[in-house]
């Protein structure tokens, strides 16, 4: 019964995740053609990583239907795990870049528009995917991280040693989440101070309104981060407990329920941006030809909010 349920859920995710992220990619790409913006590039990168997770859901659904025939080979199992972990690492690192860029926009409102944008974005994304590929494929790059007694049951701790899980948890996810929390706490304190200043300094209202727009944009990022933590957090915690506790038996929940929960994050992200980002929501509605009266405004009315390489940013949801 559990296997049937996992097969059904994997099939649903494989049918929902790729189309949802493809819609976001198309919408963001068309928005970038009208007026490029660095925030759109990072969102495009996040949607691409989630799309790759959806592609891996297809292979997992096929494997469930074929009753694990793909798992007989340890090399194929490790390749599947590596290709699943790589876009997940890419997602969390992309969220880190988005938050860092938002932090700079709020912290340096006057000098931020003059900062170079194009080269740092290209360089940061190149480094991001190099790190994602390296950490995601560590068991294939270093055979010492592979389990020597593979039984044909494909799971992270069945095919790779616990050192690999420790590396992922404490080398990527934990530091990234810690930095994300610190950035949002810092931006929250700045928002509080600027809100008080806005009440007493009308002469600076223009600059402060610009900052407030960035604060609103961070709400969407914060929702995405919370979704990521709730989705992948249980899997990482459970994997760490299993790796540290030899008498615990969490292998089946890790392979099935918890990993499946983590993959749903790739469906949550496009839904968050479709519902909470005004520009993307408007363009998605235009693509789907289902614009609701009074709920979604025409794209032309929002063109002024789209960012550019000169420092502009898309208007935040709810603004």
């Amino acid at each position: 019964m559990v296997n049937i349920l996992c097969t059904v859920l994997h099939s649903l995710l494989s049918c929902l995740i790729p189309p949802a992220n493809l819609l976001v990619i198309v919408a963001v790409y068309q928005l970038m053609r009208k007026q490029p913006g660095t925030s759109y590039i990072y969102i495009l990168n996040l949607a691409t990583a989630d799309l790759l997770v959806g592609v891996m859901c297809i292979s997992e659904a096929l494997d469930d239907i074929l009753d694990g025939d793909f798992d007989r080979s340890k090399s194929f199992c490790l390749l599947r795990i590596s290709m699943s972990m790589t876009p997940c690492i890419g997602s969390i690192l992309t969220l880190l870049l988005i938050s860092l860029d938002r932090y700079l926009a709020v912290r340096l409102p006057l000098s931020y528009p003059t900062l170079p944008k194009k080269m740092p974005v290209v360089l940061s994304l190149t480094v991001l995917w190099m790190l994602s590929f390296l950490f995601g494929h560590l068991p294939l790059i270093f055979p010492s991280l592979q389990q020597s007694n593979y039984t044909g049951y494909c799971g992270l701790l069945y095919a790779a040693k616990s050192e690999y899980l420790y590396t992922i948890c404490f080398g990527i996810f934990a530091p990234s989440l810690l930095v994300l929390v610190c950035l949002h706490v810092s931006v929250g304190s700045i928002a509080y101070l600027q809100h008080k200043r806005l009440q007493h300094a009308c002469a600076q209202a223009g600059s402060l309104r610009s900052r407030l727009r960035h604060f609103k944009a961070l709400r969407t990022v914060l929702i995405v981060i919370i979704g990521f933590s709730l989705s992948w957090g249980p899997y990482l915690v459970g994997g760490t407990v299993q790796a540290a506790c030899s008498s615990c038996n969490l292998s089946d929940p890790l392979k099935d329920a918890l990993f499946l929960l983590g993959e749903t994050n790739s469906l949550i992200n496009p839904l968050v941006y479709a519902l909470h980002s005004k520009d993307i929501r408007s363009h998605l509605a235009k693509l789907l030809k289902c614009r609701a009266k009074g709920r979604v405004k025409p794209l032309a009315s929002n063109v002024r909010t789209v960012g550019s390489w000169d420092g502009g940013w898309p208007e935040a949801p709810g603004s």
Side-chain angles (χ1 to χ4, degrees):
M1 188 64 184
V2 175
N3 291 335
I4 295 176
L5 181 60
C6 288
T7 301
V8 172
L9 292 177
H10 268 139
S11 301
L12 286 175
L13 288 178
S14 64
C15 293
L16 295 175
I17 292 177
N21 284 284
L22 278 175
L23 281 174
V24 173
I25 289 174
V26 172
V28 172
Y29 177 73
Q30 292 187 3
L31 285 170
M32 288 175 57
R33 291 183 61 185
K34 292 180 179 296
Q35 196 166 355
T38 51
S39 63
Y40 287 144
I41 294 179
Y42 289 137
I43 295 173
L44 186 67
N45 189 73
L46 183 64
T48 301
D50 290 331
L51 174 63
L52 294 177
V53 174
V55 172
M56 293 309 302
C57 284
I58 297 176
S59 69
E60 291 165 5
L62 291 174
D63 186 48
D64 291 336
I65 294 173
L66 297 176
D67 197 22
D69 288 345
F70 291 168
D71 296 340
R72 302 290 182 257
S73 170
K74 182 175 71 171
S75 298
F76 187 87
C77 176
L78 287 170
L79 180 62
R80 202 179 82 180
I81 291 174
S82 299
M83 294 183 67
S84 297
M85 294 302 297
T86 297
C88 294
I89 296 172
S91 292
I92 187 63
L93 293 181
T94 302
L95 291 176
L96 184 62
L97 287 179
I98 293 174
S99 298
L100 180 60
D101 203 83
R102 297 285 77 213
Y103 172 79
L104 292 176
V106 172
R107 189 71 176 178
L108 306 171
L110 299 180
S111 59
Y112 178 82
T114 64
L115 295 176
K117 297 291 191 304
K118 196 168 186 178
M119 185 56 65
V121 168
V122 173
L123 182 61
S124 63
L125 291 180
T126 302
V127 174
L128 180 149
W129 283 108
M130 289 178 62
L131 288 176
S132 301
F133 184 87
L134 174 63
F135 280 91
H137 290 74
L138 277 179
L140 292 174
I141 299 174
F142 300 101
S144 60
L145 293 175
Q146 301 177 12
Q147 290 283 9
S148 57
N149 54 343
Y150 180 68
T151 60
Y153 188 80
C154 189
L156 181 60
L157 295 177
Y158 285 95
K161 293 182 179 180
S162 58
E163 287 80 2
Y164 174 59
L165 185 61
Y166 290 147
T167 302
I168 295 298
C169 289
F170 301 109
I172 294 292
F173 288 102
S176 298
L177 288 175
L178 180 62
V179 172
L180 287 171
V181 170
C182 292
L183 287 176
H184 278 80
V185 169
S186 178
V187 169
S189 63
I190 296 174
Y192 176 74
L193 294 175
Q194 293 304 320
H195 178 72
K196 294 182 63 177
R197 187 179 301 176
L198 183 60
Q199 296 175 338
H200 300 90
C202 296
Q204 300 179 8
S207 175
L208 293 176
R209 277 197 298 269
S210 176
R211 289 194 183 190
L212 291 175
R213 187 175 68 249
H214 296 309
F215 298 146
K216 294 176 182 178
L218 276 166
R219 289 188 304 187
T220 301
V221 182
L222 183 60
I223 294 173
V224 172
I225 292 171
I226 292 174
F228 185 92
S229 302
L230 294 178
S231 299
W232 283 107
Y235 180 81
L236 296 174
V237 172
T240 304
V241 171
Q242 176 64 63
C245 177
S246 58
S247 60
C248 300
N249 187 14
L250 300 176
S251 300
D252 289 340
L254 282 172
K255 183 179 184 293
D256 297 325
L258 296 183
F259 193 77
L260 193 64
L261 176 64
E263 289 176 325
T264 58
N265 178 253
S266 296
L267 180 61
I268 293 174
N269 287 343
L271 294 178
V272 168
Y273 278 107
L275 295 175
H276 289 272
S277 179
K278 182 184 294 184
D279 296 328
I280 297 177
R281 181 177 70 239
S282 177
H283 211 72
L284 282 173
K286 188 176 181 180
L287 288 175
L288 296 174
K289 297 180 181 179
C290 60
R291 185 180 304 156
K293 292 183 179 180
R295 298 283 296 182
V296 180
K297 298 179 181 180
L299 180 63
S301 65
N302 291 325
V303 168
R304 69 181 184 277
T305 67
V306 179
S308 66
W309 289 110
D310 298 326
W313 287 87
E315 188 173 350
S319 58

